[in-house]
Amino acid sequence: MDEERDQTEREMDWQPSDGGPDARALAAVAAVVLIGLHFLAQTPLWATIIGWLAIVVSAWLVRRPASAVARRLRVVAAPIVWPNSAMKALADALPDPCIITDARGIVRYTNDLASQRFGVVPRGEPLNFRLRATALNDALEEVVALDQRRSVEWQEKIPTDRWFEAHLAPIHLAADPQASLRKPDFVVLVIEDLTEQRRSERMRADFVANASHELRTPLASLTGFIETLQGPARNDAPARDRFLAIMAEQAARMKRLIDDLLSLSRIEMKAHVRPDTPIDLADILRHVTETLTPLAADNSVVVATSLPQCRMPSRGDRDELVQVFSNLIENAIKYGASGGRVEVVAGSEPAAPERPQWWTIAIRDHGPGIAAEHLPRLTERFYRADIDTSRQKQGTGLGLAIVKHILTRHRGRLGVESLLGEGATFTVRLEADVSVGAGAENSTEAAAASGAKPAEPPAGARRQGPQTRRARAT
Amino acid sequence: MADHTVTSFDQELKGLTTKIAEMGGLAEGLVGDAVTALTRMDTELAHKVMLTDARLDRLQQEIEERAILVIARRQPMALDLREIMASLRISNDLERVGDLAKNIAKRVTAMQGNFAAKKLVIGVEHLSEIAMEQLKDVLDAFALRDDSAALQVRKRDDEIDALYTSLFRELLTYMMEDPRNITFCTHLLFCAKNIERIGDHATNIAETVYFVVTGEQLTTERHKSDDTSTLAGPDAK
């Protein structure tokens, strides 16, 4: 299909054609046909001549280059024109996504940046199959109708907030003498990404709104204690010690809140850029479980990890993914402590060859579980399923919001399953890097099978991966 | 899709799909603007949404007329006929989505000045994020004729239902805590219901897309997890 199209493209590089049917040929053909009719069908001679004259006159009208009919005909009959190689090279050289459409909004060429940013727009399909923004398509229509340049801004909300500005300009091919009478041959769209700029404007306002609201509570309690210490409890030594301890705790809470809010806004700041550094998820998981061993010991929780024997190649930001898994495992240790064990099971989703493969990492605790009505809302900022426990465990209400934002940036997903009294399972899905480590699937499945029952010693030597590690609390 | 001998038939079919994409973009924009108007209490934006909805209605009429003309002129069969039927169905769904967005915008103007805690709105915002993702995915699936993406959308509708149920409970709690919250919470509850129904329309479109591509209707009942109709109150368990 593509080959065929390329060939057409080469042939269709614009050549000036004189257009319109040839009037003399038409008159001759009409004469022959009408004379034939006169002899065979016995049509009267006067009717034949009038008919022939009518045909000749209309043919002449059409042939006349400046006539309205000729113009219309030429627009309708104009061959589909494809951008020539010079135009394509120009589009490729631009630092921004660039799309070339024809006057009807059909995509004729996209540079690589455009395909990367907006997904492949098949050539020959309308622009709005991919870019549906009303403002953009209206602007395109205007550019064609008025034959003028336009710039237009629009916002996309899914998967993350993004702002764009498109600059549209009509193009006429100079080789065509009647260029000014025709619609533009092409419209060139150059799309600029305004996200960074807009986001920093918005972010400041959002941060202040969030921070001021959440910091007010610990601040109020701090000022309360300070007033008490200045007044009635000035000379009461035991009360002073107690109050100072509470004040220190509140101050620590404020610090955690500010840290979390800052890292959340940092992540939101670059939410639209998908990180693409090659990383190994197995390595990250091992690192995280090691660093959390002391915390697990304090809560007398056993963390059992079960990782595949191979590498788990993916693309992402190492520090952020470390934060994802440490937040999740830390939560499991803190809130599922009563269950005594936390399981971290990594596996892969077998996928059709043409689809990218997914890594799934499940973090399961055996604590009290989470009620169904809270499940869908856990990732909202400052949403707490159980406010008292959260305060007690020094939670800020932002941990899962951070996890979700990082995963959105990585185009990953977070799933939560839980039944009251039976613990909770948080599942992270991340796209695998298919370009690295093909053929890893078999060992992964074996490891996933052993991961189903991590408590028992694996039966066969093959299943006992050298990298399957268990962090055990003493 | 194999091309037809009569190229203008191809153009007519493509024209219909382009119009649907146009409607889709407009509907997406309306929902986004309506929710933004709600979270920021921006009555000006809400007015804009209410005015733009008329354009969506006109587009739907236009699609209907065009579809009828194509059927009358070409007597389409099989895939072509399915495609035309799908355009009709999807344009209906999108028109409803526009109406729901308009209704949210109307409530924003009605709530004017009654701004309660931002915390209440976060839940509705979260719900709308999922609904808009569904709408975007299903419109992409239609443009690319991707039946598996459509099935994914249909599967994810449970998420919206569960979130709506949770929001319903939370809003009830707020209303019981303080009767002054009732006006605001009721409006918010209807907004949430509207967004949940936008999600339902996305699911409908997903089923239509599946029908266009495969020629089979999805008949298996989906599991319904919206049980707010049987919910008495947050403390009645």
Side-chain angles (χ1 to χ4, degrees), chain A residues 96-233:
Chain A
D96 285 316
C98 170
I99 298 173
I100 301 175
T101 73
D102 66 10
R104 285 177 304 156
I106 310 282
V107 174
R108 294 293 175 214
Y109 188 70
T110 53
N111 68 1
D112 286 344
L113 279 168
S115 314
Q116 274 168 30
R117 184 95 22 113
F118 302 106
V120 179
V121 192
R123 289 182 212 170
E125 298 285 342
L127 177 71
N128 69 1
F129 276 19
R130 263 294 177 203
L131 288 162
R132 277 188 299 268
T134 311
L136 177 67
N137 287 291
D138 285 354
L140 182 64
E141 263 174 42
E142 258 177 58
V143 167
V144 173
L146 305 177
D147 213 349
Q148 278 172 359
R149 311 167 64 97
R150 273 273 178 286
S151 287
V152 62
E153 259 187 60
W154 79 97
Q155 182 193 359
E156 269 176 24
K157 297 200 160 198
I158 305 294
T160 57
D161 276 340
R162 303 183 73 164
W163 287 263
F164 296 106
E165 182 171 19
H167 307 280
L168 297 90
I171 285 196
H172 291 279
L173 289 164
D176 182 11
Q178 246 82 47
S180 57
L181 299 175
R182 291 157 39 94
K183 285 184 179 176
D185 293 300
F186 298 111
V187 178
V188 171
L189 294 90
V190 178
I191 300 167
E192 205 182 325
D193 195 342
L194 299 181
T195 311
E196 211 114 324
Q197 199 179 323
R198 287 295 138 81
R199 199 179 275 279
S200 53
E201 288 163 14
R202 264 264 307 273
M203 205 53 68
R204 239 168 281 143
D206 283 1
F207 182 77
V208 171
N210 272 322
S212 56
H213 182 75
E214 283 299 308
L215 289 175
R216 204 176 290 147
T217 328
L219 202 56
S221 109
L222 267 184
T223 34
F225 283 117
I226 290 173
E227 275 164 19
T228 322
L229 281 175
Q230 283 172 333

Side-chain angles (χ1 to χ4, degrees), chain A residues 104 106 120 122 124-126 128-130 132-134 138 141 156-159 202 213 355 372-374 376-383 387 404 413, chain B residues 11 14 17-18 21-22 24-26 28 32 36 40 55 122-123 126 129 132-133 136 139-140 143-144 146 148 156 159 162-163 166-167 169-170 237:
Chain A
R104 285 177 304 156
I106 310 282
V120 179
E125 298 285 342
N128 69 1
F129 276 19
R130 263 294 177 203
R132 277 188 299 268
T134 311
D138 285 354
E141 263 174 42
E156 269 176 24
K157 297 200 160 198
I158 305 294
R202 264 264 307 273
H213 182 75
R355 297 248 164 195
E373 71 254 33
H374 297 306
R377 315 203 43 204
L378 289 175
T379 54
E380 288 168 21
R381 39 179 78 181
F382 303 119
Y383 188 90
I387 295 172
K404 190 202 156 190
R413 282 194 101 84
Chain B
Q11 273 177 14
K14 191 151 275 181
T17 321
T18 314
E22 194 183 334
L26 200 56
E28 275 178 306
T36 311
R40 302 211 189 128
R55 184 169 163 197
I122 292 182
H126 183 193
E129 263 167 36
M132 278 162 66
E133 193 186 343
K136 175 183 159 51
L139 289 169
D140 283 344
L144 302 174
D146 184 345
S148 62
R156 273 204 306 263
E159 261 177 59
L163 190 54
S166 163
L167 262 174
R169 279 169 180 275
E170 198 188 359
K237 288 202 175 166

Side-chain angles (χ1 to χ4, degrees), chain A residues 163-381:
Chain A
W163 287 263
F164 296 106
E165 182 171 19
H167 307 280
L168 297 90
I171 285 196
H172 291 279
L173 289 164
D176 182 11
Q178 246 82 47
S180 57
L181 299 175
R182 291 157 39 94
K183 285 184 179 176
D185 293 300
F186 298 111
V187 178
V188 171
L189 294 90
V190 178
I191 300 167
E192 205 182 325
D193 195 342
L194 299 181
T195 311
E196 211 114 324
Q197 199 179 323
R198 287 295 138 81
R199 199 179 275 279
S200 53
E201 288 163 14
R202 264 264 307 273
M203 205 53 68
R204 239 168 281 143
D206 283 1
F207 182 77
V208 171
N210 272 322
S212 56
H213 182 75
E214 283 299 308
L215 289 175
R216 204 176 290 147
T217 328
L219 202 56
S221 109
L222 267 184
T223 34
F225 283 117
I226 290 173
E227 275 164 19
T228 322
L229 281 175
Q230 283 172 333
R234 183 186 287 272
N235 296 315
D236 185 347
R240 193 169 55 211
D241 285 347
R242 214 178 65 233
F243 288 168
L244 281 175
I246 300 175
M247 284 164 73
E249 196 185 296
Q250 291 293 341
R253 183 164 160 232
M254 283 173 76
K255 184 179 175 298
R256 280 197 310 274
L257 252 175
I258 292 175
D259 285 347
D260 275 2
L261 278 169
L262 277 175
S263 71
L264 193 58
S265 53
R266 256 201 314 273
I267 296 158
E268 283 190 345
M269 196 68 192
K270 48 190 178 176
H272 60 288
V273 195
R274 188 177 173 176
D276 62 349
T277 326
I279 42 145
D280 178 13
L281 290 176
D283 183 44
I284 291 176
L285 282 170
R286 242 172 269 133
H287 170 77
V288 171
T289 41
E290 249 162 53
T291 39
L292 287 175
T293 316
L295 182 77
D298 287 348
N299 287 281
S300 37
V301 171
V302 182
V303 180
T305 46
S306 158
L307 305 179
Q309 286 159 318
C310 57
R311 297 179 67 237
M312 295 167 69
S314 179
R315 281 175 184 274
D317 183 317
R318 188 186 154 87
D319 290 344
E320 287 186 359
L321 289 174
V322 164
Q323 200 174 3
V324 165
F325 294 117
S326 59
N327 278 3
L328 288 176
I329 298 174
E330 209 181 304
N331 277 354
I333 292 173
K334 279 186 191 164
Y335 301 103
S338 60
R341 52 179 297 115
V342 170
E343 286 143 26
V344 180
V345 181
S348 74
E349 259 178 35
E354 77 273 11
R355 297 248 164 195
Q357 210 184 344
W358 292 84
W359 295 115
T360 59
I361 297 104
I363 292 137
R364 177 171 170 72
D365 68 61
H366 298 272
I370 305 159
E373 71 254 33
H374 297 306
L375 285 183
R377 315 203 43 204
L378 289 175
T379 54
E380 288 168 21
R381 39 179 78 181

Side-chain angles (χ1 to χ4, degrees), chain B residues 183-201:
Chain B
T183 321
F184 182 76
C185 285
T186 311
H187 279 305
L188 216 50
L189 196 55
F190 273 108
C191 290
K193 183 70 200 166
N194 285 345
I195 297 169
E196 188 260 343
R197 289 183 53 196
I198 290 174
D200 286 346
H201 284 294

Side-chain angles (χ1 to χ4, degrees), chain B residues 161-228:
Chain B
D161 291 346
L163 190 54
Y164 172 68
T165 313
S166 163
L167 262 174
F168 184 86
R169 279 169 180 275
E170 198 188 359
L171 288 170
L172 276 194
T173 320
Y174 281 114
M175 288 194 247
M176 290 166 113
E177 268 171 12
D178 187 350
R180 278 174 301 175
N181 284 340
I182 289 179
T183 321
F184 182 76
C185 285
T186 311
H187 279 305
L188 216 50
L189 196 55
F190 273 108
C191 290
K193 183 70 200 166
N194 285 345
I195 297 169
E196 188 260 343
R197 289 183 53 196
I198 290 174
D200 286 346
H201 284 294
T203 317
N204 277 351
I205 299 176
E207 284 167 10
T208 310
V209 172
Y210 185 84
F211 171 67
V212 175
V213 181
T214 63
E216 282 164 31
Q217 299 266 19
L218 282 164
T219 44
T220 43
E221 254 313 285
R222 270 181 330 112
H223 168 69
K224 283 272 174 198
S225 50
D226 173 10
D227 43 29
T228 49

